[in-house]
């Protein structure tokens, strides 16, 4: 087994998933504004450190994706944040793209940037303790989109990124996110997601990325949030499995879904059903941002010194998702 394969499997072992705490300062400021907490480096660290020192980090969270600011911060006990995460038994990871910008040639769409100077930045993150990385490509669905151009350009960037990350000894998380915003049906989401993922793997293979040493982070197959098409959670699970079976090479050790704007319970319930019906060899787990942090953030914002209460809420959500990653969750376990 290659070292990268071992790291990927360890992150997702026994129902463990990933905490995506890699919101850029701009996004984190929006989240904190939403709960009336000033977005200072100290407050951003306090919330994140509260999560990273929770007991569920040992039992449920196999990896944490950090943002550049956080990986360089020290905890209140003067430990480096990646060290704190490792000591809790989890793996520190880092978002390395520099964000989605307007795509020249198709200005309604986005291309993710960050390849220039990436090799040097990766070396620095590796020294800081990162074991894995993340890069997100973003695609929206409407009549003419995603265009061939955006599908191709983002697949190319994801592949070049992945090759550089593996060269540096870390596991790339490949995140092609087909957004749920819009009026599209679940069928359109299925078709576009399949095309996007297949194109990504064409490029990953061309760039000689070791497929056993990466993790795919896709969206689930959902109808658009403004769509008239209402589908059941069972259908979401079955369509998602069908799509991934037809578009993901069998060498991939694991798939960790993004939550993409689903509510906490919805994201857990869908993951649980995916695992109930999972007839593939892929591990199917979670790499959630909002669906792991929303309730904890809301609670914390009322009293930012209430560490224990915040951790209790986060631990519950992490536990529910780890059960769902094994198909063992049920609604009656929710408090
Ligand atoms: P959400 O689960 O909130 O969609 O965030 C996941 C993520 O990492 C987005 O890049």
């Amino acid at each position: 087994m290659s070292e990268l394969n071992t790291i990927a499997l360890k992150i997702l072992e026994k129902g463990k998933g990933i905490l995506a705490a890699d919101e850029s300062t701009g996004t984190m400021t929006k989240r904190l504004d939403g709960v009336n907490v000033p977005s200072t480096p100290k407050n951003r660290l306090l919330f994140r450190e509260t999560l990273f020192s929770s007991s569920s980090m040992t039992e449920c969270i196999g990896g944490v994706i950090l943002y550049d600011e956080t990986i360089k911060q020290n905890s209140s006990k003067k430990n480096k944040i990646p060290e704190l995460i490792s000591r809790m038994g989890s793996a520190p990871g880092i978002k390395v793209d520099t964000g989605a910008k307007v795509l020249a040639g198709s200005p309604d769409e986005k291309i993710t940037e960050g390849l220039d100077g990436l090799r040097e930045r990766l070396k620095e993150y590796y020294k800081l303790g990162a074991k894995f990385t993340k890069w997100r490509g973003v695609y929206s669905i409407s009549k003419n989109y995603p265009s061939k151009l955006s599908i191709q350009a983002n697949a190319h960037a994801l592949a070049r990124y992945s090759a550089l990350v593996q060269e540096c000894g870390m596991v790339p998380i490949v995140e092609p996110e087909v957004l749920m915003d819009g009026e599209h049906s679940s069928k359109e989401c299925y078709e576009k997601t399949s095309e996007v993922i297949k194109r990504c793997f064409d490029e990953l293979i061309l760039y000689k990325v070791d497929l056993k040493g990466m993790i795919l982070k896709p969206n689930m197959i959902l109808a658009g949030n403004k769509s008239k098409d209402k589908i059941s959670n069972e259908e979401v699970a079955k369509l998602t499995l069908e799509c991934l079976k037809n578009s993901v090479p069998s060498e991939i050790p694991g798939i960790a879904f993004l939550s993409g704007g689903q509510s906490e319970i919805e994201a857990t319930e869908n993951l649980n059903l995916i695992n109930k019906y999972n007839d593939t060899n892929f591990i199917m787990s979670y790499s959630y941002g909002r669906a792991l942090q929303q309730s904890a953030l809301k609670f914390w914002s009322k009293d930012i010194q209430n560490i224990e209460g915040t951790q209790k809420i986060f631990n519950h959500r992490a536990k529910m998702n780890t059960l769902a990653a094994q198909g063992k969750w049920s609604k009656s376990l929710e408090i």
Side-chain angles (χ1 to χ4, degrees):
M1 216 191 298
S2 74
E3 200 178 320
L4 295 180
N5 183 249
T6 309
I7 296 172
L9 288 172
K10 185 148 174 43
I11 291 172
L12 301 179
E13 72 178 357
K14 298 182 205 139
K16 285 186 182 179
I18 298 168
L19 165 63
D22 61 326
E23 298 86 358
S24 64
T25 301
T27 303
M28 196 58 188
T29 298
K30 258 191 252 160
R31 303 261 192 275
L32 292 176
D33 283 352
V35 291
N36 297 316
V37 174
S39 180
T40 60
K42 202 164 154 237
N43 284 344
R44 292 193 288 271
L45 177 64
L46 179 59
F47 178 64
R48 287 166 164 161
E49 187 184 342
T50 301
L51 304 187
F52 304 162
S53 41
S54 303
S55 60
S56 56
M57 286 289 295
T58 310
E59 298 145 27
C60 307
I61 305 294
V64 180
I65 318 174
L66 300 168
Y67 182 60
D68 181 77
E69 174 184 70
T70 326
I71 201 171
K72 294 171 179 165
Q73 280 173 320
N74 285 334
S75 73
S76 52
K77 298 204 173 77
K78 306 278 175 273
N79 296 308
K80 299 234 173 299
I81 290 296
E83 281 167 16
L84 164 67
I85 292 168
S86 301
R87 264 220 321 277
M88 295 300 291
S90 186
I94 178 80
K95 184 230 296 283
V96 301
D97 67 64
T98 55
K101 310 283 158 57
V102 171
L103 173 62
S106 186
D108 293 334
E109 298 189 281
K110 298 273 173 66
I111 176 69
T112 303
E113 295 190 346
L115 288 172
D116 287 351
L118 180 57
R119 184 181 268 125
E120 287 66 38
R121 286 194 293 124
L122 290 173
K123 285 182 186 154
E124 187 193 358
Y125 290 138
Y126 183 83
K127 275 197 206 138
L128 289 168
K131 300 275 180 265
F132 70 101
T133 64
K134 185 192 102 170
W135 180 292
R136 171 175 174 261
V138 54
Y139 314 80
S140 49
I141 302 182
S142 62
K143 191 160 166 274
N144 300 314
Y145 302 131
S147 66
K148 295 267 178 250
L149 177 59
S150 88
I151 293 175
Q152 171 56 32
N154 279 296
H156 166 261
L158 279 161
R160 277 191 57 202
Y161 139 81
S162 300
L164 283 164
V165 169
Q166 290 191 337
E167 178 191 274
C168 205
M170 295 180 283
V171 170
I173 294 191
V174 174
E175 181 181 11
E177 176 176 7
V178 178
L179 295 170
M180 96 193 233
D181 307 304
E183 297 176 359
H184 56 272
S185 63
S186 53
K187 183 167 174 279
E188 285 169 288
C189 179
Y190 179 101
E191 283 164 4
K192 296 303 175 193
T193 303
S194 302
E195 189 181 348
V196 160
I197 293 178
K198 281 182 188 160
R199 200 74 205 88
C200 282
F201 280 106
D202 289 346
E203 290 292 301
L204 288 162
I205 291 164
L206 183 67
Y207 281 81
K208 301 187 169 46
V209 171
D210 172 11
L211 300 185
K212 293 197 175 79
M214 60 161 277
I215 294 171
L216 178 69
K217 175 165 173 167
N219 50 284
M220 293 178 191
I221 303 302
L222 304 164
N225 57 5
K226 297 192 195 85
S227 173
K228 291 188 192 78
D229 177 27
K230 296 279 170 260
I231 64 165
S232 66
N233 298 103
E234 268 80 12
E235 282 172 294
V236 168
K238 287 182 178 161
L239 284 173
T240 302
L241 279 167
E242 202 54 40
C243 170
L244 297 172
K245 265 197 272 185
N246 293 331
S247 54
V248 182
S250 58
E251 291 97 319
I252 295 296
I255 293 174
F257 293 98
L258 58 95
S259 60
Q262 297 179 72
S263 72
E264 289 181 342
I265 303 287
E266 209 181 346
T268 304
E269 186 162 7
N270 286 335
L271 179 64
N272 187 59
L273 288 167
I274 287 171
N275 278 288
K276 270 200 158 158
Y277 299 134
N278 186 6
D279 54 356
T280 71
N281 290 324
F282 299 127
I283 297 172
M284 300 275 189
S285 192
Y286 58 93
S287 175
Y288 292 163
R290 285 161 288 180
L292 268 174
Q293 300 181 67
Q294 229 159 42
S295 296
L297 180 66
K298 204 166 155 204
F299 180 90
W300 175 78
S301 70
K302 307 251 156 50
D303 175 5
I304 64 171
Q305 295 309 329
N306 191 345
I307 308 293
E308 212 176 294
T310 307
Q311 290 182 335
K312 198 167 159 220
I313 291 173
F314 175 68
N315 286 336
H316 173 71
R317 224 38 274 137
K319 179 93 193 293
M320 293 298 104
N321 284 308
T322 283
L323 286 172
Q326 301 166 89
K328 293 180 182 164
W329 172 87
S330 83
K331 216 169 222 157
S332 61
L333 297 169
E334 294 291 346
I335 37 179

